Amino acid sequence: MKIDDYRLLTTLDETKTLRKAAEILYISQPAVTQRLKAIENAFGVDVFIRTKKQLITTTEGMMIIEHARDMLNRERLFLDKMQAHIGEVNGTISIGCSSLIGQTLLPVVLNLYTRQFPNVEIQVQVGSSEQIKANHRDYHVMIIRGNKMMNLSNTHLFNDEHFFIHPKNRNDEVEKMPFIEFQADPIYINQIKEWYGNQIGQDYHAMITVDQVATCKEMLLNGVGVTILPEIMMKHLDREQFEFQRVDIDDKPLIRSTYLSYDPSMLQLPQVDSFINLMMEYVE
């Protein structure tokens, strides 16, 4: 099997169609079909079930594609190590990042990083911390919130307190205003529910749910409802316009921690080591 064959398999798994995979890989669709047949013959199993609408990955195919991703990661790591021996900070760094950090801290740090290390190619995947953790093998380094990752190095960056926020001019309507909830892990949401029930005196019910905390903040700014935000998202909120109440659970502030998580072996790569050092310097 060649590296190009592994890349073909992962691309087909992601796009689910021969046509899209051909476009991404800049080869003809008949060539994709021919190579896929050769791969399936080599393994002695069908990797995909062909339907009119899309490709469906078989059980055996899932195992093969997982192997393909592992081989591509090994190849990338090898190439990065080769680049490291040249002496200059270059190569590629792949970063998996929590959506909240991707909207706040990461752009600032990457601005500094690209100025200092202009020859490094940067790949960023932003999503929920749970999504990033589930795909941790795809990244050199991750910035996650909540719990540490098992079997990896976890460098603590900072803690966020949380605040219940509502418009000052609608103090008497707080109980009636819609609560805006952003996507987060169930334990975190349950803590918010507990606080809301105790403080507001009624059952928690999110009337509006959004996938991004930035959207939640924008709705708050436009008077749509009330919400609870982590401290990092409270920049530019007018204290003359909004009321802030710290969220305490059992007389202690509700805290959400942010970590840099990575395999220690990744520190052998100058571009990764430089990014981690720069991030630590910035948050300090």
Side-chain angles (χ1 to χ4, degrees):
M1 290 283 288
K2 299 177 181 178
I3 287 296
D4 285 345
D5 292 328
Y6 293 128
R7 192 167 288 113
L8 172 66
L9 288 173
T10 58
T11 304
L12 284 168
D13 184 58
E14 290 163 3
T15 62
K16 302 300 183 185
T17 71
L18 297 169
R19 179 181 59 80
K20 288 182 182 177
E23 290 174 357
I24 291 172
L25 297 171
Y26 298 103
I27 57 178
S28 68
Q29 189 170 324
V32 171
T33 302
Q34 186 177 1
R35 281 174 59 187
L36 177 57
K37 285 182 179 178
I39 292 168
E40 289 180 324
N41 288 337
F43 281 108
V45 296
D46 289 333
V47 179
F48 300 100
I49 298 170
R50 284 79 159 168
T51 69
K52 290 183 179 180
K53 290 186 177 181
Q54 65 175 3
L55 299 173
I56 299 172
T57 310
T58 64
T59 302
E60 295 82 2
M62 290 178 185
M63 296 171 61
I64 292 169
I65 288 163
E66 184 178 352
H67 170 66
R69 287 202 173 96
D70 183 54
M71 293 303 294
L72 289 172
N73 286 336
R74 287 170 182 246
E75 176 77 2
R76 183 185 65 188
L77 184 58
F78 172 73
L79 292 173
D80 287 340
K81 285 182 177 178
M82 289 294 292
Q83 289 287 345
H85 285 286
I86 297 174
E88 185 179 336
V89 178
N90 49 30
T92 301
I93 180 169
S94 178
I95 304 168
C97 184
S98 151
S99 298
L100 188 147
I101 302 301
Q103 295 158 359
T104 52
L105 177 63
L106 185 63
V108 180
V109 174
L110 285 183
N111 178 36
L112 299 172
Y113 185 80
T114 54
R115 290 170 185 268
Q116 291 186 39
F117 310 107
N119 296 320
V120 176
E121 179 183 338
I122 302 168
Q123 299 171 351
V124 177
Q125 180 65 50
V126 174
S128 70
S129 290
E130 296 310 309
Q131 290 170 335
I132 299 302
K133 290 175 183 178
N135 297 297
H136 67 273
R137 292 178 183 171
D138 294 341
Y139 315 116
H140 290 114
V141 61
M142 291 157 288
I143 311 171
I144 58 169
R145 288 171 62 79
N147 297 323
K148 298 178 182 179
M149 289 202 63
M150 298 278 290
N151 304 317
L152 292 178
S153 287
N154 295 277
T155 301
H156 181 261
L157 295 179
F158 56 87
N159 290 329
D160 269 311
E161 293 185 349
H162 291 69
F163 292 83
F164 177 63
I165 308 169
H166 60 84
K168 280 189 174 181
N169 62 0
R170 300 181 68 182
N171 278 338
D172 57 342
E173 302 176 54
V174 170
E175 295 86 352
K176 299 175 184 177
M177 293 183 72
F179 189 92
I180 311 165
E181 177 186 286
F182 58 87
Q183 185 179 4
D185 67 72
I187 295 175
Y188 183 52
I189 295 299
N190 284 337
Q191 289 175 310
I192 290 174
K193 285 182 179 179
E194 178 187 343
W195 181 89
Y196 185 91
N198 292 335
Q199 294 294 318
I200 307 301
Q202 62 186 32
D203 290 340
Y204 171 92
H205 178 60
M207 297 294 291
I208 302 171
T209 56
V210 297
D211 61 344
Q212 300 289 338
V213 67
T215 307
C216 181
K217 180 179 177 180
E218 284 302 313
M219 289 191 176
L220 173 73
L221 288 170
N222 284 280
V224 176
V226 302
T227 194
I228 290 175
L229 289 179
E231 202 171 355
I232 194 172
M233 290 300 296
M234 289 170 53
K235 220 178 219 184
H236 310 308
L237 285 179
D238 187 353
R239 293 188 176 271
E240 296 296 321
Q241 181 182 356
F242 293 101
E243 195 79 49
F244 300 86
Q245 181 179 353
R246 194 178 74 178
V247 175
D248 289 349
I249 306 290
D250 297 328
D251 298 322
K252 294 180 181 178
L254 174 59
I255 294 294
R256 188 83 160 162
S257 298
T258 298
Y259 297 95
L260 267 176
S261 299
Y262 52 89
D263 189 301
S265 65
M266 293 298 171
L267 295 177
Q268 298 174 44
L269 303 176
Q271 68 271 32
V272 177
D273 187 50
S274 300
F275 175 80
I276 291 172
N277 288 333
L278 183 60
M279 176 65 80
M280 292 300 299
E281 289 172 12
Y282 184 81
V283 297
E284 287 174 1

